Amino acid sequence: KAGVTQTPRYLIKTRGQQVTLSCSPISGHRSVSWYQQTPGQGLQFLFEYFSETQRNKGNFPGRFSGRQFSNSRSEMNVSTLELGDSALYLCASSFDRDGTEAFFGQGTRLTVV
Amino acid sequence: ELKVEQNPLFLSMQEGKNYTIYCNYSTTSDRLYWYRQDPGKSLESLFVLLSNGAVKQEGRLMASLDTKARLSTLHITAAVHDLSATYFCAVDSSALRGGADGLTFGKGTHLIIQP
């Protein structure tokens, strides 16, 4: 059974650019959540999608956005990149939200220079 | 705002010893998760605790949940080097009357087990 797949694994971008990260959940899972991990702030919730609808959103500026497609694959976009956006971005997949286990992908390591 | 506090944040212990990691949270929730993260890797799900009094065990790790005390523990028995990693607890607040924070993580406990 394939796990959660995130692409790309590594990215280097310049300040002011934008970036799109992709997440393919486990087959049959309908919920996809995104998290940002940094040494200073730890793991922080970005947003959650279920059946192509954003259900929850964390406390991040509007530069961070996402979407989910009909096949449950999700993308997140960060516009006008800042140095502080450098982080490991993790995607989590679960069948549903009601206490079901969330499985994390390997993450995308974004470096903004 | 939900706060999740883990302690200790750093723990160095010897193989064969027992120890407990504590996870306190500030708001009512009956959904708590424990994850393990190895350096440079993603999060591996260890335990899902969904009710007061839940206890789960896998190998040398045992997790429990006391929702009244808002406390979860991860107990390590007879530690071995392979258990060296960072352990996170996470609380699900999204069920709390419209809570919208997804999983709120503790800062993690960096565990080093020395031979």
Side-chain angles (χ1 to χ4, degrees):
Chain A
K1 182 176 178 180
V4 181
T5 304
Q6 290 188 246
T7 57
R9 292 290 310 279
Y10 302 93
L11 264 179
I12 300 176
K13 289 286 189 178
T14 305
R15 273 183 303 173
Q17 287 186 314
Q18 76 166 19
V19 67
T20 299
L21 313 181
S22 179
C23 172
S24 293
I26 292 170
S27 178
H29 284 193
R30 299 180 294 172
S31 172
V32 173
S33 300
W34 289 89
Y35 292 83
Q36 181 196 65
Q37 186 176 26
T38 59
Q41 299 298 318
L43 280 151
Q44 294 184 285
F45 171 71
L46 280 158
F47 25 65
E48 183 214 352
Y49 288 88
F50 182 84
S51 294
E52 302 179 66
T53 301
Q54 185 180 91
R55 285 211 292 201
N56 291 310
K57 190 177 192 311
N59 188 24
F60 278 81
R63 299 185 297 106
F64 291 81
S65 63
R67 58 178 174 168
Q68 186 180 33
F69 302 94
S70 58
N71 62 358
S72 294
R73 189 177 71 84
S74 177
E75 289 181 346
M76 68 163 278
N77 184 277
V78 188
S79 62
T80 320
L81 283 166
E82 301 176 0
L83 294 178
D85 297 333
S86 296
L88 179 66
Y89 289 89
L90 292 165
C91 162
S93 152
S94 60
F95 180 74
D96 202 336
R97 280 301 274 120
D98 295 331
T100 54
E101 195 171 1
F103 297 89
F104 282 80
Q106 291 298 307
T108 295
R109 173 76 63 184
L110 172 65
T111 302
V112 182
V113 298
Chain B
E1 179 190 348
L2 172 61
K3 292 191 190 309
V4 180
E5 292 187 358
Q6 280 182 243
N7 70 84
L9 297 182
F10 181 82
L11 176 58
S12 178
M13 56 192 291
Q14 288 186 314
E15 281 191 327
K17 300 289 187 183
N18 304 332
Y19 210 84
T20 301
I21 299 170
Y22 297 89
C23 175
N24 290 90
Y25 53 98
S26 61
T27 309
T28 302
S29 175
D30 58 2
R31 301 173 184 178
L32 191 134
Y33 307 81
W34 284 95
Y35 289 91
R36 166 182 173 150
Q37 187 175 39
D38 292 295
K41 300 293 180 69
S42 187
L43 297 171
E44 174 191 354
S45 177
L46 293 174
F47 300 108
V48 179
L49 303 170
L50 299 178
S51 62
N52 185 41
V55 177
K56 291 196 174 179
Q57 182 163 4
E58 180 73 34
R60 300 174 188 274
L61 300 178
M62 184 174 71
S64 66
L65 177 62
D66 181 342
T67 59
K68 293 177 182 174
R70 298 177 188 170
L71 170 69
S72 179
T73 61
L74 179 66
H75 187 73
I76 303 158
T77 302
V80 294
H81 178 69
D82 286 351
L83 291 178
S84 298
T86 299
Y87 292 85
F88 292 92
C89 65
V91 177
D92 185 347
S93 66
S94 60
L96 299 175
R97 296 174 290 283
D101 293 335
L103 289 179
T104 301
F105 283 84
K107 290 193 178 299
T109 296
H110 184 52
L111 175 63
I112 296 175
I113 300 171
Q114 299 175 350

